[in-house]
Amino acid sequence: MTDQGRLRVRDLNVGFRVPGATVRAVNDASFEVRQGRCLALVGESGCGKSVLAHALLGLLPANASVSGQAWLEHGGGEPVELVGASQAVLAGRVRGRAIGLIPQSPATHLTPVRTARAQLQEVIRELGSPATADDLAARYGLRPHELDRYPHELSGGMAQRVANAIALAGDPWLVLADEPTSGLDRPLVDRAMATLRELCDEGRAVLLITHDLRAAEQVADDLAVMYAGRLVESGPAAEVLGRPRHPYTAGLVAAQPDREFVPIPGMPPELTRLPRGCAFRPRCGRHTERCATSPPVDGGVACHHPLEDRHA
C-alpha cells in the first residue's frame, strides 16, 4: 500500500434518545489517524469509545443521532464523508473495503451454526476478494482444518484470528479494532497487538479501541484519552503515557498493575447527567471553581489545571 490515506474526524457528537433523557455518548470528538500509524483510543468502560467506532461505520441503532464530520481520504480520490452517508455507500464503499472491523468478543459475533470457513468464504464472496479462505487462515496464524470448526469449538485465540481474517478479507487500508483483547490472557493479548503492529508496518492505518493501557503502549504511535464521552488528552503515545498532563490520564496510568496500582477515586458520571464544565471535576483533586466551565483543548489537553507541561 503506497497511497497515503487518513481518517479525519471533526466535532463528532453521538447521542441516544431514551425515555425522559438523552445519553450524550460522544461529545465534540476530533482526531485523525494516518496510514502506517496506530491511534489508540483509551478510557474506562462506558466512556463512549465503542459508540464512536460504530458511528463511523453507521452501525448505531435507530434512536441514535450523529453530527459532525468524518472523512475517509485515500488514493487521491474524492473523500468519503461517513457522517450521514447512506447505507448503500457504507456497504458498497466502506465496510470491509476501506475499513475492516475487528469486533469485541469475536466468538460471540460469529454465527454459532456455521463453520468459520463458511463465514469467511461468505465475506470473501461479498467483497469480491481474490483471496482464498486457506490463504487468509495461513496469513493470520490458522491451520486450514481449524476453519472447519464451529465457533464453540474455537479457543479465544483462534476466534480472534478468524475475526482478523474476516476483517482483512477485503484488503482494507484502515482497521478498526474494537476492544480486540477482551477475554484473552496476556500471551494472546501480546500476539493480537503484534498483529496490529504488523498491519501498521505494512502501511495500513489502525484505530484501536481499548481500556488496556499496556496493550495500547505495545502498538500505538498516537494516543487519545476519552472520559465521559469527551477526548481529554491526545498526543504521541510515549509522551502521553510517560508524562500525562490531564489528571484523568495520570490516574489511569497510576492504576496500572506495574505502576502504583491505585484506582481513581469515585465513579464516572452517568452520560444522561453530565456535570457542568469538566466532567472529571467530581473525581479530581485539582479542581477549582473554574472547572465548572468547560475547558478548551490547549496543547492536546482539555484541562484548566493540567499537570506539568511535558514539553517544558
Side-chain angles (χ1 to χ4, degrees):
M1 292 190 178
T2 57
D3 294 327
Q4 286 302 303
R6 63 176 175 168
L7 167 67
R8 290 192 296 136
V9 176
R10 294 292 178 267
D11 301 321
L12 183 68
N13 292 273
V14 182
F16 297 95
R17 298 177 298 277
V18 297
T22 297
V23 178
R24 295 165 55 194
V26 179
N27 302 293
D28 297 320
S30 296
F31 62 90
E32 71 176 47
V33 56
R34 295 176 177 268
Q35 276 187 260
R37 297 184 70 83
C38 172
L39 170 66
L41 180 59
V42 304
E44 293 167 289
S45 297
C47 71
K49 306 185 302 296
S50 292
V51 169
L52 187 155
H54 287 101
L56 297 175
L57 291 169
L59 297 176
L60 297 177
N63 68 330
S65 61
V66 184
S67 65
Q69 296 174 309
W71 298 274
L72 276 181
E73 303 173 358
H74 187 254
E78 191 70 20
V80 178
E81 169 51 294
L82 300 178
V83 177
S86 68
Q87 289 298 312
V89 168
L90 292 171
R93 298 180 59 187
V94 178
R95 297 180 194 138
R97 294 175 168 85
I99 302 178
L101 174 65
I102 299 175
Q104 184 174 358
S105 303
T108 63
H109 281 75
L110 296 172
T111 303
V113 296
R114 301 180 65 205
T115 65
R117 179 182 298 278
Q119 296 179 65
L120 181 54
Q121 288 176 330
E122 181 180 29
V123 172
I124 290 171
R125 287 194 302 271
E126 180 67 25
L127 297 177
S129 171
T132 68
D134 286 352
D135 288 342
L136 287 169
R139 170 68 177 82
Y140 296 104
L142 287 163
R143 290 170 290 183
H145 74 271
E146 291 172 331
L147 288 180
D148 297 316
R149 298 180 181 179
Y150 290 90
H152 73 275
E153 297 175 314
L154 300 172
S155 67
M158 282 190 281
Q160 181 66 58
R161 292 191 283 276
V162 170
N164 292 347
I166 289 174
L168 276 296
D171 196 29
W173 63 267
L174 171 61
V175 176
L176 200 165
D178 183 15
E179 297 283 9
T181 63
S182 294
L184 301 182
D185 59 25
R186 203 74 237 173
L188 290 177
V189 170
D190 294 342
R191 180 165 182 169
M193 292 304 99
T195 298
L196 294 181
R197 187 65 250 172
E198 288 173 7
L199 295 177
C200 290
D201 295 341
E202 292 171 359
R204 302 181 200 271
V206 172
L207 176 57
L208 169 64
I209 309 294
T210 185
H211 63 271
D212 186 339
L213 287 192
R214 178 175 165 183
E217 190 172 23
Q218 289 177 258
V219 68
D221 301 290
D222 307 295
L223 197 94
V225 181
M226 178 173 273
Y227 183 76
R230 189 180 187 195
L231 297 182
V232 297
E233 185 167 6
S234 61
E239 293 186 3
V240 173
L241 295 176
R243 294 187 65 184
R245 298 192 62 212
H246 197 284
Y248 175 63
T249 310
L252 286 180
V253 171
Q256 298 306 297
D258 59 343
R259 302 294 179 93
E260 300 172 30
F261 206 27
V262 176
I264 301 172
M267 295 292 292
E270 296 179 22
L271 296 182
T272 56
R273 300 174 59 188
L274 291 176
R276 290 186 302 111
C278 175
F280 189 59
R281 173 168 52 100
R283 305 174 73 185
C284 181
R286 298 170 64 87
H287 76 271
T288 65
E289 292 182 2
R290 187 182 179 192
C291 300
T293 62
S294 185
V297 177
D298 182 13
V301 61
C303 182
H304 288 303
H305 307 291
L307 304 174
E308 180 183 359
D309 190 338
R310 68 174 73 98
H311 301 296

